[in-house]
Amino acid sequence: MRILVIGGGAREHALCRSLSLDPEVTALHCAPGNAGIAEVATLHAVDALDGAAVSVLAETPQVKADLVVIGPEAPLVAGVADAVRARGIAVFGPSAEAARLEGSKAFAKDVMAAAGVPTARSHVCTTPEETDGALEAFGPPYVVKDDGLAAGKGVVVTGDVEEARAHARACGRVVVEEFLDGPEVSLFAVTDGESVVPLQPAQDFKRAYDGDEGPNTGGMGAYSPLPWADPGLVREIEQSVLQPTVDEMRRRGTPFSGLLYAGLALTSRGLRVIEFNARFGDPETQAVLARLRTPLAGLLYAAATGRLAEFPPLRWSDEAAVTVVVAARDYPAAPRTGDVVEGLEEVAERDAPGAYVLHAGTKRDAGNRVVSAGGRVLSVTATGDGLREARERAYAAVGRIGLDGSHHRSDIAAKAAE
């Protein structure tokens, strides 16, 4: 199988790493990729938001893709999957209409209401007066979400009503919700629009600093499995959230095929959906794929070609996985780029295969050095016999990396590993 992956972050590096280990994959390409992905895939320049350009690339003699895997949300919402499908090429990723589950929080709420999926009470607000009314109705902590795509940073959870109002003004159209208490869970499900195959759950860490302090980010780390979760949790989520949502999307004439990501809160009143995403989450993907033993290409191709019901049950490692994000100076506000990344060879020599580095915001400079090119620069992922060993391996590898002014959280999976 010849595969083209669209995207250039740590999520795409994790996907490319897993695909490169699949014996069925005979050629692996990525566009635009990054410095780390270049080690396992052939890179190509492309405008990832241009469906025509992606389609042309997929059809070139060099690529001749049997499957296109679209990683980020923006190309999905822009309809890139539709353009590639129109050329007769199998695509893992939903249509633009189906990707509205992530592209519009208000649309997702409407789907959940129709499907009977449990979620937070909310109001869609377009004026300051509507926002003030909703904030007063729900009270603190205030939860204000940008209705559109915001790369994981469009949500403010605060006890300060003025901060909540300011975020709403900056966004325009927002969804104001009641605050959901309890631990959060991320669950991915591969679907072909009818069948649903859940992956293993993970937990991510959105706040920038230890102890869940600081601003929301795209994610500072993740771990899997969840030793504190009920053994029946995945089945419950599949029955009450994932399958009803997929069924409702198909009923509307916009079947969802690809990766449905459910962010959930296990509240004192039961399971509640925080949000849906239309693609693999970052950094949870790094931890979850580290544990997947089923070859990835066949799973994604079965979903893309409507044959998921025939696919055998997934196989998983008994090991735990922990991912720690190394972020650039001043991330998430105004991350500095262009700093040299050091220590990558040392990690490869001393820590592999138990720990490895997945590149996110990196590139090669004129001197062929790996330099930072984004806010989240690296995802250091490690596996172990349990979360404690996985954490130790991950942080040992993080300690070998040099990036001027960088920061990372030191408490990823700490409580779960106790």
Side-chain angles (χ1 to χ4, degrees):
M1 195 184 307
R2 302 175 64 86
I3 298 180
L4 169 63
V5 177
I6 301 300
R11 164 186 49 224
E12 287 75 34
H13 193 176
L15 288 165
C16 285
R17 178 182 182 274
S18 292
L19 290 167
S20 73
L21 298 174
D22 187 334
E24 294 298 314
V25 177
T26 54
L28 182 59
H29 300 264
C30 185
N34 61 40
I37 296 175
E39 298 175 9
V40 295
T42 302
L43 301 191
H44 303 267
V46 76
D47 179 354
L49 299 178
D50 185 338
V54 172
S55 300
V56 168
L57 174 62
E59 292 182 314
T60 58
Q62 183 185 7
V63 177
K64 288 186 65 177
D66 300 304
L67 174 68
V68 175
V69 179
I70 301 176
E73 59 273 26
L76 293 168
V77 172
V80 172
D82 304 87
V84 176
R85 277 197 192 93
R87 303 297 299 177
I89 303 170
V91 184
F92 184 80
S95 66
E97 276 294 309
R100 290 180 66 205
L101 270 180
E102 177 169 3
S104 169
K105 304 291 190 301
F107 175 76
K109 288 289 187 182
D110 184 56
V111 171
M112 283 187 272
V117 170
T119 186
R121 292 178 297 131
S122 64
H123 292 298
V124 179
C125 304
T126 57
T127 68
E129 292 75 20
E130 290 175 346
T131 299
D132 286 346
L135 293 172
E136 183 177 352
F138 290 132
Y142 304 104
V143 181
V144 182
K145 298 181 177 181
D146 189 336
D147 183 46
L149 291 181
K153 290 168 280 190
V155 180
V156 162
V157 181
T158 179
D160 183 345
V161 70
E162 290 305 323
E163 182 182 359
R165 285 171 174 155
H167 182 65
R169 287 195 300 271
C171 296
R173 180 180 165 95
V174 296
V175 175
V176 178
E177 293 186 351
E178 65 174 330
F179 176 76
L180 298 176
D181 61 351
E184 295 185 10
V185 174
S186 298
L187 186 65
F188 303 151
V190 174
T191 176
D192 58 7
E194 293 191 15
S195 299
V196 173
V197 176
L199 305 189
Q200 289 286 299
Q203 187 174 65
D204 77 331
F205 295 74
K206 286 294 188 189
R207 297 287 187 171
Y209 309 123
D210 285 6
D212 290 329
E213 297 292 331
N216 264 355
T217 71
M220 294 299 292
Y223 69 92
S224 178
L226 310 181
W228 46 267
D230 187 288
L233 178 62
V234 171
R235 184 65 176 156
E236 180 188 355
I237 296 169
E238 179 183 0
Q239 292 177 336
S240 65
V241 174
L242 300 172
Q243 191 68 60
T245 300
V246 169
D247 291 345
E248 172 61 19
M249 292 296 288
R250 187 174 67 254
R251 186 193 69 77
R252 290 173 176 235
T254 54
F256 188 103
S257 171
L259 196 289
L260 180 59
Y261 165 118
L264 308 122
L266 308 184
T267 78
S268 55
R269 292 167 292 136
L271 185 72
R272 297 288 187 274
V273 174
I274 300 171
E275 65 174 351
F276 283 129
N277 289 338
R279 39 71 192 183
F280 281 100
D282 182 343
E284 299 99 319
T285 299
Q286 292 87 295
V288 171
L289 291 187
R291 301 183 54 233
L292 181 65
R293 290 294 168 263
T294 296
L296 183 61
L299 174 64
L300 303 187
Y301 191 74
T305 55
R307 302 177 63 182
L308 202 55
E310 306 167 17
F311 200 79
L314 301 185
R315 294 181 289 110
W316 295 92
S317 167
D318 291 331
E319 289 190 315
V322 171
T323 292
V324 179
V325 171
V326 178
R329 179 193 290 271
D330 297 330
Y331 176 79
R336 191 175 74 185
T337 60
D339 291 309
V340 176
V341 179
E342 299 176 323
L344 297 174
E345 296 82 2
E346 186 179 1
V347 173
E349 291 171 3
R350 298 181 60 177
D351 299 292
Y356 50 89
V357 177
L358 297 168
H359 291 231
T362 68
K363 67 177 183 179
R364 294 275 181 180
D365 68 3
N368 203 37
R369 301 175 302 176
V370 176
V371 298
S372 60
R376 292 185 295 172
V377 182
L378 305 169
S379 285
V380 179
T381 299
T383 55
D385 286 337
L387 286 174
R388 181 172 297 178
E389 183 176 58
R391 285 190 82 247
E392 290 172 355
R393 289 176 172 177
Y395 280 107
V398 168
R400 305 189 207 285
I401 293 170
L403 176 62
D404 185 46
S406 67
H407 64 97
H408 63 272
R409 285 185 58 158
S410 65
D411 62 348
I412 304 300
K415 290 182 180 178
E418 291 176 354

mmCIF file of all heavy atoms in Angstrom, residues 183-187 200-205 222-231 233-234 237 266 291 320 387 416:
data_model
loop_
_atom_site.group_PDB
_atom_site.id
_atom_site.type_symbol
_atom_site.label_atom_id
_atom_site.label_comp_id
_atom_site.label_asym_id
_atom_site.label_seq_id
_atom_site.Cartn_x
_atom_site.Cartn_y
_atom_site.Cartn_z
ATOM 1 N N PRO A 183 -12.902 14.122 36.291
ATOM 2 C CA PRO A 183 -11.764 13.895 35.403
ATOM 3 C C PRO A 183 -12.177 13.843 33.938
ATOM 4 O O PRO A 183 -13.310 13.491 33.604
ATOM 5 C CB PRO A 183 -11.222 12.528 35.862
ATOM 6 C CG PRO A 183 -12.389 11.860 36.522
ATOM 7 C CD PRO A 183 -13.187 12.960 37.158
ATOM 8 N N GLU A 184 -11.239 14.197 33.073
ATOM 9 C CA GLU A 184 -11.501 14.198 31.630
ATOM 10 C C GLU A 184 -10.857 12.984 30.962
ATOM 11 O O GLU A 184 -9.819 12.492 31.398
ATOM 12 C CB GLU A 184 -10.977 15.485 30.989
ATOM 13 C CG GLU A 184 -11.726 16.722 31.479
ATOM 14 C CD GLU A 184 -11.307 17.991 30.769
ATOM 15 O OE1 GLU A 184 -10.569 17.892 29.753
ATOM 16 O OE2 GLU A 184 -11.707 19.076 31.215
ATOM 17 N N VAL A 185 -11.495 12.522 29.905
ATOM 18 C CA VAL A 185 -11.034 11.369 29.144
ATOM 19 C C VAL A 185 -11.100 11.701 27.658
ATOM 20 O O VAL A 185 -12.050 12.337 27.203
ATOM 21 C CB VAL A 185 -11.907 10.123 29.429
ATOM 22 C CG1 VAL A 185 -11.523 8.965 28.519
ATOM 23 C CG2 VAL A 185 -11.806 9.713 30.889
ATOM 24 N N SER A 186 -10.089 11.279 26.918
ATOM 25 C CA SER A 186 -10.107 11.386 25.459
ATOM 26 C C SER A 186 -10.258 9.983 24.882
ATOM 27 O O SER A 186 -9.518 9.075 25.263
ATOM 28 C CB SER A 186 -8.797 11.989 24.938
ATOM 29 O OG SER A 186 -8.615 13.299 25.425
ATOM 30 N N LEU A 187 -11.215 9.824 23.971
ATOM 31 C CA LEU A 187 -11.397 8.528 23.325
ATOM 32 C C LEU A 187 -11.518 8.729 21.821
ATOM 33 O O LEU A 187 -12.384 9.478 21.356
ATOM 34 C CB LEU A 187 -12.623 7.793 23.866
ATOM 35 C CG LEU A 187 -12.792 6.364 23.342
ATOM 36 C CD1 LEU A 187 -11.644 5.475 23.811
ATOM 37 C CD2 LEU A 187 -14.123 5.768 23.776
ATOM 38 N N GLN A 200 -8.010 2.830 22.543
ATOM 39 C CA GLN A 200 -7.867 2.862 23.999
ATOM 40 C C GLN A 200 -7.954 4.305 24.491
ATOM 41 O O GLN A 200 -7.483 5.235 23.824
ATOM 42 C CB GLN A 200 -6.536 2.241 24.406
ATOM 43 C CG GLN A 200 -6.488 0.741 24.227
ATOM 44 C CD GLN A 200 -7.299 0.021 25.283
ATOM 45 O OE1 GLN A 200 -7.029 0.112 26.467
ATOM 46 N NE2 GLN A 200 -8.316 -0.711 24.844
ATOM 47 N N PRO A 201 -8.536 4.527 25.664
ATOM 48 C CA PRO A 201 -8.671 5.906 26.164
ATOM 49 C C PRO A 201 -7.342 6.488 26.624
ATOM 50 O O PRO A 201 -6.397 5.759 26.935
ATOM 51 C CB PRO A 201 -9.648 5.750 27.343
ATOM 52 C CG PRO A 201 -9.456 4.346 27.806
ATOM 53 C CD PRO A 201 -9.145 3.540 26.575
ATOM 54 N N ALA A 202 -7.284 7.802 26.658
ATOM 55 C CA ALA A 202 -6.111 8.526 27.119
ATOM 56 C C ALA A 202 -6.574 9.741 27.901
ATOM 57 O O ALA A 202 -7.762 10.091 27.892
ATOM 58 C CB ALA A 202 -5.239 8.959 25.933
ATOM 59 N N GLN A 203 -5.652 10.368 28.576
ATOM 60 C CA GLN A 203 -5.936 11.650 29.233
ATOM 61 C C GLN A 203 -4.844 12.630 28.831
ATOM 62 O O GLN A 203 -3.660 12.277 28.815
ATOM 63 C CB GLN A 203 -5.974 11.511 30.749
ATOM 64 C CG GLN A 203 -6.427 12.787 31.453
ATOM 65 C CD GLN A 203 -6.601 12.613 32.956
ATOM 66 O OE1 GLN A 203 -5.643 12.368 33.665
ATOM 67 N NE2 GLN A 203 -7.831 12.724 33.429
ATOM 68 N N ASP A 204 -5.256 13.857 28.475
ATOM 69 C CA ASP A 204 -4.267 14.863 28.118
ATOM 70 C C ASP A 204 -4.278 15.994 29.136
ATOM 71 O O ASP A 204 -5.139 16.066 30.011
ATOM 72 C CB ASP A 204 -4.487 15.380 26.697
ATOM 73 C CG ASP A 204 -5.643 16.364 26.583
ATOM 74 O OD1 ASP A 204 -6.585 16.250 27.389
ATOM 75 O OD2 ASP A 204 -5.606 17.227 25.691
ATOM 76 N N PHE A 205 -3.300 16.881 29.006
ATOM 77 C CA PHE A 205 -3.089 17.982 29.951
ATOM 78 C C PHE A 205 -3.041 19.277 29.150
ATOM 79 O O PHE A 205 -2.083 19.530 28.421
ATOM 80 C CB PHE A 205 -1.780 17.770 30.723
ATOM 81 C CG PHE A 205 -1.790 16.561 31.610
ATOM 82 C CD1 PHE A 205 -1.696 15.286 31.076
ATOM 83 C CD2 PHE A 205 -1.910 16.686 32.984
ATOM 84 C CE1 PHE A 205 -1.719 14.161 31.888
ATOM 85 C CE2 PHE A 205 -1.931 15.573 33.805
ATOM 86 C CZ PHE A 205 -1.834 14.301 33.251
ATOM 87 N N ALA A 222 0.272 13.589 27.580
ATOM 88 C CA ALA A 222 -0.836 12.638 27.643
ATOM 89 C C ALA A 222 -0.317 11.294 28.117
ATOM 90 O O ALA A 222 0.896 11.024 28.081
ATOM 91 C CB ALA A 222 -1.501 12.492 26.275
ATOM 92 N N TYR A 223 -1.256 10.438 28.538
ATOM 93 C CA TYR A 223 -0.873 9.072 28.903
ATOM 94 C C TYR A 223 -2.021 8.116 28.624
ATOM 95 O O TYR A 223 -3.185 8.516 28.510
ATOM 96 C CB TYR A 223 -0.450 8.992 30.372
ATOM 97 C CG TYR A 223 -1.567 9.185 31.372
ATOM 98 C CD1 TYR A 223 -2.275 8.099 31.884
ATOM 99 C CD2 TYR A 223 -1.921 10.454 31.811
ATOM 100 C CE1 TYR A 223 -3.305 8.272 32.807
ATOM 101 C CE2 TYR A 223 -2.939 10.648 32.724
ATOM 102 C CZ TYR A 223 -3.634 9.548 33.221
ATOM 103 O OH TYR A 223 -4.670 9.727 34.114
ATOM 104 N N SER A 224 -1.658 6.848 28.493
ATOM 105 C CA SER A 224 -2.612 5.770 28.269
ATOM 106 C C SER A 224 -1.941 4.471 28.728
ATOM 107 O O SER A 224 -0.728 4.323 28.546
ATOM 108 C CB SER A 224 -2.975 5.669 26.785
ATOM 109 O OG SER A 224 -3.871 4.600 26.536
ATOM 110 N N PRO A 225 -2.677 3.529 29.365
ATOM 111 C CA PRO A 225 -4.108 3.540 29.656
ATOM 112 C C PRO A 225 -4.427 4.365 30.902
ATOM 113 O O PRO A 225 -3.527 5.013 31.462
ATOM 114 C CB PRO A 225 -4.406 2.054 29.884
ATOM 115 C CG PRO A 225 -3.142 1.525 30.487
ATOM 116 C CD PRO A 225 -2.028 2.269 29.805
ATOM 117 N N LEU A 226 -5.692 4.310 31.330
ATOM 118 C CA LEU A 226 -6.152 5.046 32.507
ATOM 119 C C LEU A 226 -6.443 4.036 33.613
ATOM 120 O O LEU A 226 -7.521 3.436 33.656
ATOM 121 C CB LEU A 226 -7.425 5.837 32.172
ATOM 122 C CG LEU A 226 -7.376 6.702 30.905
ATOM 123 C CD1 LEU A 226 -8.693 7.442 30.716
ATOM 124 C CD2 LEU A 226 -6.206 7.678 30.956
ATOM 125 N N PRO A 227 -5.498 3.807 34.536
ATOM 126 C CA PRO A 227 -5.689 2.770 35.552
ATOM 127 C C PRO A 227 -6.856 3.035 36.493
ATOM 128 O O PRO A 227 -7.382 2.105 37.116
ATOM 129 C CB PRO A 227 -4.354 2.758 36.297
ATOM 130 C CG PRO A 227 -3.731 4.086 36.022
ATOM 131 C CD PRO A 227 -4.196 4.479 34.646
ATOM 132 N N TRP A 228 -7.295 4.281 36.580
ATOM 133 C CA TRP A 228 -8.374 4.647 37.498
ATOM 134 C C TRP A 228 -9.749 4.526 36.860
ATOM 135 O O TRP A 228 -10.771 4.664 37.536
ATOM 136 C CB TRP A 228 -8.171 6.084 37.986
ATOM 137 C CG TRP A 228 -7.829 7.044 36.891
ATOM 138 C CD1 TRP A 228 -6.590 7.423 36.481
ATOM 139 C CD2 TRP A 228 -8.745 7.731 36.018
ATOM 140 N NE1 TRP A 228 -6.666 8.301 35.430
ATOM 141 C CE2 TRP A 228 -7.979 8.510 35.117
ATOM 142 C CE3 TRP A 228 -10.135 7.768 35.922
ATOM 143 C CZ2 TRP A 228 -8.560 9.312 34.143
ATOM 144 C CZ3 TRP A 228 -10.716 8.560 34.937
ATOM 145 C CH2 TRP A 228 -9.934 9.320 34.073
ATOM 146 N N ALA A 229 -9.815 4.277 35.552
ATOM 147 C CA ALA A 229 -11.098 4.259 34.846
ATOM 148 C C ALA A 229 -11.804 2.917 35.007
ATOM 149 O O ALA A 229 -11.169 1.866 35.112
ATOM 150 C CB ALA A 229 -10.884 4.561 33.368
ATOM 151 N N ASP A 230 -13.131 2.965 35.001
ATOM 152 C CA ASP A 230 -13.936 1.755 35.066
ATOM 153 C C ASP A 230 -13.662 0.890 33.832
ATOM 154 O O ASP A 230 -13.591 1.414 32.720
ATOM 155 C CB ASP A 230 -15.421 2.131 35.111
ATOM 156 C CG ASP A 230 -16.314 0.926 35.345
ATOM 157 O OD1 ASP A 230 -16.460 0.113 34.410
ATOM 158 O OD2 ASP A 230 -16.873 0.809 36.445
ATOM 159 N N PRO A 231 -13.508 -0.434 34.008
ATOM 160 C CA PRO A 231 -13.229 -1.305 32.859
ATOM 161 C C PRO A 231 -14.294 -1.230 31.767
ATOM 162 O O PRO A 231 -14.019 -1.502 30.595
ATOM 163 C CB PRO A 231 -13.179 -2.710 33.475
ATOM 164 C CG PRO A 231 -12.855 -2.484 34.918
ATOM 165 C CD PRO A 231 -13.492 -1.183 35.279
ATOM 166 N N LEU A 233 -15.802 1.520 30.784
ATOM 167 C CA LEU A 233 -15.962 2.901 30.322
ATOM 168 C C LEU A 233 -15.996 2.995 28.798
ATOM 169 O O LEU A 233 -16.851 3.696 28.230
ATOM 170 C CB LEU A 233 -14.828 3.764 30.879
ATOM 171 C CG LEU A 233 -14.834 5.235 30.437
ATOM 172 C CD1 LEU A 233 -16.101 5.938 30.905
ATOM 173 C CD2 LEU A 233 -13.581 5.953 30.948
ATOM 174 N N VAL A 234 -15.084 2.301 28.115
ATOM 175 C CA VAL A 234 -15.037 2.409 26.657
ATOM 176 C C VAL A 234 -16.338 1.921 26.041
ATOM 177 O O VAL A 234 -16.887 2.552 25.120
ATOM 178 C CB VAL A 234 -13.833 1.626 26.093
ATOM 179 C CG1 VAL A 234 -13.907 1.549 24.574
ATOM 180 C CG2 VAL A 234 -12.520 2.279 26.514
ATOM 181 N N ILE A 237 -19.027 4.550 26.533
ATOM 182 C CA ILE A 237 -18.861 5.686 25.625
ATOM 183 C C ILE A 237 -19.278 5.302 24.208
ATOM 184 O O ILE A 237 -19.931 6.079 23.502
ATOM 185 C CB ILE A 237 -17.405 6.185 25.648
ATOM 186 C CG1 ILE A 237 -17.051 6.720 27.042
ATOM 187 C CG2 ILE A 237 -17.182 7.270 24.589
ATOM 188 C CD1 ILE A 237 -15.567 6.997 27.235
ATOM 189 N N LEU A 266 -16.085 12.879 33.215
ATOM 190 C CA LEU A 266 -16.789 11.925 34.059
ATOM 191 C C LEU A 266 -17.288 12.691 35.279
ATOM 192 O O LEU A 266 -16.638 12.769 36.313
ATOM 193 C CB LEU A 266 -15.854 10.777 34.463
ATOM 194 C CG LEU A 266 -15.129 10.075 33.318
ATOM 195 C CD1 LEU A 266 -14.307 8.895 33.839
ATOM 196 C CD2 LEU A 266 -16.107 9.609 32.253
ATOM 197 N N ARG A 291 0.872 2.180 21.859
ATOM 198 C CA ARG A 291 0.384 0.930 22.452
ATOM 199 C C ARG A 291 -0.355 0.037 21.456
ATOM 200 O O ARG A 291 -0.636 -1.126 21.760
ATOM 201 C CB ARG A 291 -0.548 1.240 23.630
ATOM 202 C CG ARG A 291 0.110 2.065 24.733
ATOM 203 C CD ARG A 291 -0.845 2.285 25.900
ATOM 204 N NE ARG A 291 -1.349 1.009 26.363
ATOM 205 C CZ ARG A 291 -2.644 0.717 26.508
ATOM 206 N NH1 ARG A 291 -3.571 1.627 26.192
ATOM 207 N NH2 ARG A 291 -3.027 -0.468 26.942
ATOM 208 N N ALA A 320 2.234 0.648 29.288
ATOM 209 C CA ALA A 320 1.693 2.003 29.384
ATOM 210 C C ALA A 320 2.539 2.927 28.522
ATOM 211 O O ALA A 320 3.684 2.618 28.183
ATOM 212 C CB ALA A 320 1.702 2.478 30.826
ATOM 213 N N LEU A 387 2.782 2.956 34.223
ATOM 214 C CA LEU A 387 2.941 4.395 34.026
ATOM 215 C C LEU A 387 4.183 4.938 34.715
ATOM 216 O O LEU A 387 4.821 5.865 34.209
ATOM 217 C CB LEU A 387 1.694 5.126 34.531
ATOM 218 C CG LEU A 387 0.447 5.015 33.649
ATOM 219 C CD1 LEU A 387 -0.753 5.656 34.339
ATOM 220 C CD2 LEU A 387 0.680 5.663 32.280
ATOM 221 N N ALA A 416 -1.718 9.486 38.274
ATOM 222 C CA ALA A 416 -2.161 8.165 37.813
ATOM 223 C C ALA A 416 -1.108 7.100 38.069
ATOM 224 O O ALA A 416 -1.437 5.920 38.208
ATOM 225 C CB ALA A 416 -2.477 8.227 36.326
#
